[in-house]
Amino acid sequence: MISPCWFTVIASQFLSSTTVAFTPLAVSHNNIYQMTSSSFSESSTTQHPCAVVANPPCTKDAKAVIFDIDGTLANSWRLGYDATVVVLQKNDLGHVPINEEIYHQTCVYPTPERLARTAGLQPGDDNFEEMGETLGAQFDEYYVQLVSLATCEFYDGIASMLSNLPSTVQLGALTNACVAYGYAVLKVNTDETSNSLKYDRFGSIHGADSVPAAKPNPDGLLVSAKELNVEPKDCIYVGDAIGDGKAARAAGMMSIGVTWGSNSEDKLRDAQVFDYICRTRDELQELLPQASTNNES
């Protein structure tokens, strides 16, 4: 039986004269089933309002959900921005232009590359990698030390949304920051709060320094899927950056972009790398697997 994920067959007007055939058709990386008919060509589907691709995958049946952290789970951009300013000043780079817009634009890169670019260097410059590693190490140390609920608290509704995922659905996190930062943010937002979400609910946590290659490469997501013992096609990756969508697509995962982080809805739509784009946490929760009231407390 084919699950009517985000479409409804409007067939009543055809019942007396038309036989509708459903033929499985592999589409892209999601193995989506497409409805076809030998008797009519008029579209009879209703697209989910958050969908940005034709025939989007059914996210409700996912076996694992993996999240980006900054700008997706945690409202932490100010912490990253302030830490960047401190590192630049510490290295006599206080003259380098930096503002919120520049910070968000460079957040698509792993920390060493982001800071080297912010310092005015470009890939291929003689000391690009050396400068990036130096600034990145200082940033990571400062960044992790400043993690608290005051600097990187989960957005409203995130903790309850994660708590409401069925216990059978695996949960993971992948950030382009260092893995120690990922540990710290998730720890302070779970076991150190009064909400019901526990740190050990995350079966896989990784950063750019704990996987073979950072996003937009798929390596981190593939490592996460393997640790969660779930096939990539059965995973959803949720993120706020174009690189998140690119990584998910390259890994063969379903993808959901969110607009409350570093990028606008228009920018995410124009990139054409996500299956869905959500403006609110309610929209995101509606797309995720939900606990059954009969089986889950």
Side-chain angles (χ1 to χ4, degrees), residues 4-7 29-30 32 46-61 235-241 245 248-249 253-259 265 268-269 272-279 283-284 286-288:
C5 300
W6 301 124
F7 60 85
H29 59 83
N30 294 309
I32 303 164
T46 301
Q47 184 104 320
H48 188 279
C50 293
V52 291
V53 297
N55 301 311
C58 184
T59 53
K60 290 286 192 180
D61 295 332
C235 297
I236 303 169
Y237 187 52
V238 184
D240 70 311
R249 186 153 292 177
M253 294 185 178
M254 296 173 275
S255 59
I256 302 175
V258 299
T259 63
E265 179 178 353
L268 296 182
R269 283 183 178 274
Q272 299 181 8
V273 293
F274 288 103
D275 297 318
Y276 299 88
I277 294 177
C278 296
R279 304 175 189 87
E283 287 182 343
L284 176 57
E286 197 273 334
L287 281 171
L288 300 181

